[in-house]
Amino acid sequence: MSSGFARGFPVGYEDVDVLELAGYTAGLSAGLAKALADVDDADLTAAARGGFVAVPAGRVRDGATVVEHPMAEAEGVAILDVRLPAGLVLLRHAGNRPEVVGLRLAAVRIGLTRRLLDHAMEQPRRDRVLLRGIADVVSALEPLRHQLVSMTQHPPRAAVAEVHARLDGLGWQVARLFWPDGYRADHPVRALFVAELVANTWLGT
């Protein structure tokens, strides 16, 4: 991973490759773990949007308050309630944590989407509608990936949020490729919906 938050926390184009590959080969929880590898617990609290933050389930510390969310749990993700008690104010500034973690998460989501497209290709149904749907998503992912690479050094919040919003829409397109099973909570495509929730805790997309 690139340098830490204290040094401005840039992300290199090679990080996009690594994080996309993690989402593609190992899934959401593993990709999230890489995205947060150099983010300590105090950073999590400082950067949380609305007082909640998503982390890999294996990273939950003793005494942490975990929000019950069965779909997230099934993907190995925990949603932590990190809101401070009334009257307390966090002194640590969020810096560029939300933007950089958001960029990293977007790369993971691109890999995860590609992983689900491969799964779609394995379906017994291989008609023209399915293949066209897959091609449409693939063609939409490439410019998003180029956009991430172009803003690795200084990721603007609005631009990162826009990428996630577009990934949200692509997640629904992928779910339709598995109609009607893609909307079941036990279908693998749920990872895309949990990924949307994860991004929302960091960027409020």
Side-chain angles (χ1 to χ4, degrees):
M1 283 297 181
S2 299
S3 57
F5 287 127
R7 294 188 296 276
F9 200 25
V11 187
Y13 69 87
E14 70 279 359
D15 295 322
V16 174
D17 291 336
V18 169
L19 291 158
E20 180 182 344
L21 184 62
Y24 178 75
T25 60
L28 176 58
S29 183
L32 179 58
K34 282 189 174 295
L36 300 178
D38 54 0
V39 182
D40 63 27
D41 288 350
D43 286 327
L44 291 176
T45 302
R49 300 283 289 177
F52 299 91
V53 69
V55 299
R59 184 164 171 171
V60 176
R61 301 287 186 261
D62 290 342
T65 302
V66 180
V67 178
E68 184 176 350
H69 195 294
M71 284 181 64
E73 293 165 10
E75 289 300 318
V77 171
I79 309 298
L80 302 182
D81 183 344
V82 293
R83 291 173 296 178
L84 295 175
L88 293 184
V89 177
L90 187 69
L91 297 180
R92 176 177 277 193
H93 191 272
N96 66 344
R97 297 170 184 82
E99 292 85 355
V100 174
V101 173
L103 190 151
R104 290 175 171 181
L105 287 173
V108 172
R109 293 182 71 182
I110 288 173
L112 193 61
T113 303
R114 290 178 48 219
R115 177 186 177 103
L116 268 296
L117 290 177
D118 283 357
H119 187 58
M121 282 291 293
E122 296 169 359
Q123 294 182 101
R125 165 190 153 233
R126 294 281 295 277
D127 58 34
R128 186 164 55 185
V129 174
L130 174 66
L131 296 178
R132 176 60 183 272
I134 292 173
D136 287 346
V137 176
V138 170
S139 65
L141 287 176
E142 196 57 30
L144 291 183
R145 191 180 190 286
H146 286 307
Q147 187 174 352
L148 290 182
V149 171
S150 72
M151 59 185 182
T152 50
Q153 294 304 306
H154 302 287
R157 179 185 291 270
V160 176
E162 179 189 0
V163 171
H164 280 285
R166 293 169 67 184
L167 286 168
D168 294 347
L170 290 177
W172 287 101
Q173 286 183 236
V174 173
R176 286 197 291 272
L177 299 176
F178 296 95
W179 175 265
D181 297 332
Y183 297 95
R184 295 201 328 257
D186 60 347
H187 192 276
V189 81
R190 73 180 172 214
L192 299 182
F193 301 132
V194 176
E196 180 178 342
L197 173 64
V198 170
N200 196 47
T201 67
W202 282 93
L203 289 166
T205 54

